[in-house]
Amino acid sequence: MASDQLLQYLFSGLTHGSIYALVGVGFTIIYAVTSIINFAQGEFVMLGGMLSFFLFASMGVPLPMAVILAIIVAAVVGALLYLLAIRSARQASVVSLIIITIGASIFIRGIAAEVWGVDAVRPPAFTGTTSWLVAGAYIQPQAVWLIGITLVLTLLLHLFFNFTMMGKALKACAINRSAAGMVGIDARAMALTAFVMAGALGAIGGTVMSPLTSITYGMGAMIGLKGFVAASIGGFKSPVAAVIGGLTLGIVEAMAVAIGWGPFSSAYKDAIALIVLLAILLLRAGQLAAQERPS
Amino acid sequence: MLRVENVSVAYGRATAVREVSLTVNDGEIVTLIGSNGAGKTSLLNAVAGLVPVKSGAVWLDDILLSGLSLHQTARLGFGYVPEGRQLFGDMPVIDNLILGAYPKSARNRLSLLGYVGWFTRRADIRTNLESVYRLFPKLHERQSQKAGSLSGGEQQMLAIGRAMMCSPKILVLDEPSLGLAPNLVKEILQLLGRLREEGLTILLIEQDAVAALKIADRGYVMERGRIVLEGTAGELLGNDEVKHAYLGRALT
């Protein structure tokens, strides 16, 4: 394969990988702080894309404003998900709480289908759609936005978790919740923070991605799955690990399509995430069992 | 400083603490001694807000502590060094200490939600960090090591250091000697004596009654959920009943 073609696939992998990364970070933050796998994670991406489109196209909100509003609304949805569904069921086991998030995901998807219909929509790109030629491969400005924003957010998250009191407090909740209480950390406020951050991060991904890929009410499920795989590759350990997991998954997908043999043709692209997930589950079964913590 | 008034604690139908009252005055070291299962830790957990108080009241100065949860009492200046230390094992020593200053950030109320503390390299945190490192030079040496990799004695020092990071009104320690070699126990108790001289108020729960009474001003003896004896440290050390029940083994 020519190197320019390879680069083309690499660009495509990084673009998709960025979305998986942002969703994976959401999974990781919520899991770390609350031990809950939030299966409504992909819905935040869908909400971001749908909201930015409808605010812009139907309500005439200027695009930058529509994007910011979409992110804020998704963050509020994250907060509501925690306050209404998770916090009020705090006696429930972690497994029940995970099932609640699956219910919430179906609920959000249903509302979206009712309100916005089932057709795919595509918000306008931030800065035009004329592709740039880089070393023989084409890349859309919107893809650069997506990859760039992901990298900037990764850096910010790294600084947040390592150099701010609140970031350390979130980590502390993940390590030892009762000790966190002893130093004055309110674990429930931290859980709320985690859901808000996850909502905002997912929606940022959705608003930046949907001009590239278009978006439908039902896309959250598949994106959520890919994000889950990204977080799994990262071991649900740190946001940066989830980002690396997401980019890795994106590149593996793109390269598998590039090779193009047998089951790895583009029609089966989505199966790759599942294969990767199975591989992780097999390799890490012992490790995951060891990490199992009492709720 | 700390007043515990007729506090009872129950787990389901089992009562662990029955109408216990005790006081710790400013600048005192008070020790609560008693055998395993006497209800010392249950009482302490209730005072700290870890388990609910069934009846009675706990006051820290003029603030009602009972009914508050753990993170709230911590923010009000209740420095708790729990049994088993409860460190953040996967974090470096320095981060454990920095998190000890969390109540200060929470008190700053820089955000609507009141818990955003911003940056960990603030001047006030650095000052506290330096004074904790003066108390425990070992912690300074090991500041980038993970807390979980420290020895038992160092972990205990870290737990005390972490509680000191928010300049607590009262330091409450649950069995700091547990699992430590005798010379380390001595070192830690001597250190508590030094902290008292600097003006800190301390409530110390111990099974090692002699060691505890040696540094304490006053003591309470707890048995089956009740306070059965109280007095100055000297009185308790000289008391025949105490000698017989708690000091016998240690004195011979």
Side-chain angles (χ1 to χ4, degrees):
Chain A
M1 194 188 311
S3 67
D4 54 345
Q5 255 179 307
L6 196 67
L7 193 63
Q8 191 67 60
Y9 281 111
L10 185 68
F11 284 163
S12 154
L14 286 175
T15 310
H16 287 100
S18 294
I19 269 294
Y20 309 155
L22 290 176
V23 180
V25 170
F27 270 111
T28 303
I29 294 176
I30 289 183
Y31 176 77
V33 178
T34 65
S35 306
I36 297 170
I37 306 271
N38 171 32
F39 280 109
Q41 198 60 41
E43 308 311 324
F44 295 136
V45 178
M46 179 274 288
L47 282 176
M50 288 303 233
L51 279 165
S52 63
F53 176 79
F54 280 95
L55 284 168
F56 172 77
S58 312
M59 299 172 72
V61 180
L63 188 62
M65 196 56 91
V67 165
I68 290 167
L69 273 176
I71 294 164
I72 292 172
V73 172
V76 170
V77 171
L80 291 177
L81 172 61
Y82 173 71
L83 293 173
L84 300 178
I86 305 290
R87 187 166 176 160
S88 54
R90 63 170 182 264
Q91 305 294 342
S93 70
V94 168
V95 174
S96 312
L97 294 174
I98 292 172
I99 293 169
I100 287 174
T101 69
I102 297 175
S105 138
I106 295 168
F107 176 76
I108 294 170
R109 214 176 302 154
I111 299 272
E114 276 304 312
V115 175
W116 295 313
V118 296
D119 298 328
V121 299
R122 186 192 287 261
F126 292 2
T127 48
T129 50
T130 318
S131 292
W132 295 325
L133 190 61
V134 181
Y138 286 96
I139 186 161
Q140 288 197 36
Q142 192 66 23
V144 176
W145 272 105
L146 182 53
I147 296 167
I149 284 175
T150 302
L151 294 180
V152 169
L153 283 174
T154 307
L155 179 67
L156 289 177
L157 283 166
H158 178 72
L159 295 176
F160 173 73
F161 277 102
N162 289 294
F163 297 100
T164 71
M165 207 55 156
M166 194 168 159
K168 282 199 204 290
L170 281 163
K171 274 209 278 192
C173 281
I175 294 173
N176 186 337
R177 221 161 298 164
S178 63
M182 268 158 220
V183 297
I185 298 167
D186 181 354
R188 292 205 279 170
M190 289 299 126
L192 176 62
T193 309
F195 273 87
V196 168
M197 285 178 71
L201 286 168
I204 291 172
T207 56
V208 189
M209 173 199 79
S210 45
L212 277 172
T213 60
S214 78
I215 188 103
T216 69
Y217 80 102
M219 256 167 96
M222 183 53 78
I223 292 171
L225 174 75
K226 302 281 182 71
F228 177 73
V229 175
S232 306
I233 296 173
F236 284 94
K237 282 210 171 65
S238 78
V240 176
V243 170
I244 294 168
L247 295 179
T248 307
L249 177 62
I251 291 169
V252 168
E253 270 186 2
M255 289 308 154
V257 173
I259 296 164
W261 52 265
F264 293 148
S265 66
S266 59
Y268 288 97
K269 188 182 144 210
D270 289 338
I272 290 167
L274 295 172
I275 294 168
V276 172
L277 183 59
L278 281 175
I280 293 167
L281 289 177
L282 288 173
L283 290 171
R284 292 227 176 116
Q287 220 177 317
L288 290 172
Q291 277 174 15
E292 194 84 356
R293 289 173 297 168
S295 59
Chain B
M1 171 66 70
L2 183 74
R3 272 183 296 137
V4 175
E5 294 170 348
N6 300 317
V7 164
S8 297
V9 182
Y11 300 102
R13 290 172 62 189
T15 305
V17 176
R18 289 170 203 276
E19 307 211 325
V20 163
S21 297
L22 62 84
T23 334
V24 184
N25 299 314
D26 277 5
E28 268 188 328
I29 296 187
V30 171
T31 181
L32 179 63
I33 56 183
S35 56
N36 225 341
K40 306 186 300 287
T41 297
S42 296
L43 173 65
L44 212 51
N45 283 343
V47 173
L50 199 59
V51 298
V53 169
K54 191 181 155 208
S55 62
V58 180
W59 298 86
L60 185 64
D61 289 332
D62 49 359
I63 306 163
L64 185 65
L65 283 192
S66 36
L68 298 181
S69 53
L70 187 60
H71 71 269
Q72 290 167 318
T73 64
R75 290 180 192 186
L76 290 168
F78 188 87
Y80 191 19
V81 183
E83 194 179 352
R85 295 151 204 151
Q86 299 274 10
L87 298 171
F88 302 111
D90 273 348
M91 280 191 183
V93 167
I94 187 167
D95 281 8
N96 273 268
L97 290 173
I98 285 172
L99 279 167
Y102 188 85
K104 286 192 156 187
S105 314
R107 277 200 294 262
N108 278 346
R109 300 247 160 210
L110 284 174
S111 78
L112 280 175
L113 291 164
Y115 59 81
V116 177
W118 307 120
F119 298 104
T120 52
R121 304 247 159 120
R122 297 195 317 251
D124 59 329
I125 291 182
R126 273 208 309 268
T127 313
N128 282 23
L129 203 54
E130 277 162 23
S131 62
V132 168
Y133 282 157
R134 260 199 305 279
L135 282 174
F136 304 108
K138 264 268 167 55
L139 295 182
H140 195 183
E141 277 168 38
R142 320 234 147 162
Q143 62 172 354
S144 23
Q145 235 174 288
K146 287 204 171 162
S149 73
L150 299 181
S151 72
E154 290 162 349
Q155 288 194 11
Q156 190 61 58
M157 290 173 192
L158 180 54
I160 296 173
R162 188 181 67 184
M164 295 296 297
M165 280 296 289
C166 66
S167 325
K169 289 182 180 166
I170 181 167
L171 188 65
V172 181
L173 303 102
D174 193 358
E175 306 239 8
S177 69
L178 201 70
L180 295 188
N183 59 331
L184 272 173
V185 175
K186 211 170 149 193
E187 195 180 318
I188 284 184
L189 291 178
Q190 274 171 357
L191 176 101
L192 293 179
R194 279 219 315 275
L195 288 176
R196 193 266 306 272
E197 277 159 30
E198 287 171 24
L200 192 67
T201 307
I202 296 171
L203 174 60
L204 171 66
I205 308 295
E206 260 301 341
Q207 269 197 74
D208 188 347
V210 180
L213 285 170
K214 271 184 183 157
I215 62 154
D217 300 296
R218 293 187 301 115
Y220 294 84
V221 179
M222 205 167 170
E223 218 170 80
R224 270 176 259 129
R226 296 177 195 277
I227 300 281
V228 292
L229 211 60
E230 61 174 285
T232 65
E235 281 165 19
L236 290 180
L237 274 170
N239 183 296
D240 285 341
E241 253 178 88
V242 176
K243 264 188 198 162
H244 181 72
Y246 305 103
L247 311 182
R249 189 169 43 92
L251 284 182
T252 50

